[in-house]
Amino acid sequence: MANTTKKRKEALAKYDKTQLYSISDAVNIVKSVTYTKFDASVDMDIRLGVDPRKANQMVRGTVALPHGTGKTIRVLVLCTPDKEEEAKAAGADYVGLDDYIAKIKGGWTDVDVVITMPTVMPKVGALGKILGPRGLMPNPKSGTVSMEIGKAVKDVKAGKIDFKVDKTGIIHASVAKVSFTSDKIVDNAKELLQTINKLKPPAAKGTYIKSIYLSSTMSPGVQTEPKSVTV
């Protein structure tokens, strides 16, 4: 624990916590203050000027990151037999229906994304109490409920992520790995921010993007100038 504190102090000494940095500078700082032995994720925390308790100010969507996330995404497809080959050909890790529904009811959730089709949603809906809290429940808005099973699987595998503002008005998203080049991290960050900008609810008044913090797994956050990301 003492070693972790020492490294954190070293990290905080490398930049000014009170300063707003351009996205390029923030990325370079995050890369320089990451001390994990594993390839850490690069995360963004975006505070929005919305009231998520009001339905007309909810911000939710998907974005295909140009350079992917760097993560290996394990995909489960719950579909009818006629769609199984399409799912497997697209790269799904697990494909089936009743057998996997039974496994999930038994407590198995060892996947990152669940994709299904509208016709079997009544069966999948019964898993809401298990999948919902883990963020695994398929949703048409995130593209995980679709008749185009193959396309949905390929999109997720290629780096498509979904995001949603939480009850405190913040969107949390992983946009890259620290091992990515700075340019690729910047590209991914800008793609996410531009997508969020396009989703600004008409009912949201005042400043829409209030603050952006960039960090990596276990690193301190670096405050980023919103205009350097959204322009």
Side-chain angles (χ1 to χ4, degrees):
M1 191 70 185
N3 192 36
T4 302
T5 305
K6 183 183 175 185
K7 285 184 176 179
R8 192 170 182 85
K9 283 180 180 176
E10 288 174 6
L12 289 168
K14 290 190 175 185
Y15 69 101
D16 183 350
K17 281 198 302 180
T18 64
Q19 186 176 328
L20 282 171
Y21 291 91
S22 71
I23 181 64
S24 298
D25 288 344
V27 166
N28 290 329
I29 291 168
V30 167
K31 285 174 75 75
S32 73
V33 300
T34 298
Y35 295 105
T36 53
K37 292 179 180 177
F38 57 89
D39 191 8
S41 294
V42 177
D43 303 317
M44 293 185 79
D45 295 309
I46 304 134
R47 182 179 291 281
L48 302 180
V50 299
D51 184 351
R53 294 170 299 178
K54 296 178 180 176
N56 63 353
Q57 293 190 44
M58 173 55 65
V59 178
R60 178 177 192 159
T62 63
V63 59
L65 299 174
H67 305 292
T69 61
K71 294 179 180 178
T72 300
I73 306 296
R74 298 162 300 170
V75 177
L76 163 64
V77 174
L78 298 171
C79 63
T80 50
D82 59 302
K83 287 284 188 177
E84 288 185 0
E85 283 307 313
E86 181 184 336
K88 289 174 183 175
D93 301 274
Y94 308 99
V95 181
L97 186 57
D98 293 334
D99 50 344
Y100 280 105
I101 286 175
K103 277 188 76 172
I104 292 167
K105 284 180 178 175
W108 180 80
T109 55
D110 198 18
V111 293
D112 301 298
V113 177
V114 179
I115 293 171
T116 191
M117 46 204 292
T119 51
V120 298
M121 266 307 284
K123 285 187 174 183
V124 178
L127 304 172
K129 287 184 179 178
I130 301 169
L131 298 179
R134 292 168 176 80
L136 293 172
M137 193 65 189
N139 188 298
K141 290 182 180 177
S142 65
T144 49
V145 179
S146 173
M147 287 303 293
E148 296 183 82
I149 291 292
K151 181 180 183 300
V153 173
K154 286 177 181 175
D155 284 348
V156 168
K157 287 282 189 178
K160 180 180 176 182
I161 62 169
D162 65 307
F163 55 85
K164 179 182 178 183
V165 67
D166 69 14
K167 61 185 179 182
T168 64
I170 300 174
I171 289 176
H172 309 272
S174 293
V175 295
K177 291 285 191 178
V178 170
S179 61
F180 282 26
T181 63
S182 295
D183 287 348
K184 287 184 177 180
I185 299 173
V186 170
D187 285 348
N188 280 1
K190 285 189 172 183
E191 190 71 25
L192 172 63
L193 262 294
Q194 285 163 4
T195 302
I196 291 171
N197 252 339
K198 290 174 187 173
L199 295 172
K200 180 180 178 179
K205 305 300 179 187
T207 304
Y208 179 47
I209 294 180
K210 290 192 164 184
S211 67
I212 302 169
Y213 280 86
L214 203 69
S215 63
S216 68
T217 310
M218 295 168 66
S219 90
V222 180
Q223 192 166 5
T224 306
E225 168 55 59
K227 287 179 183 176
S228 74
V229 191
T230 54
V231 172

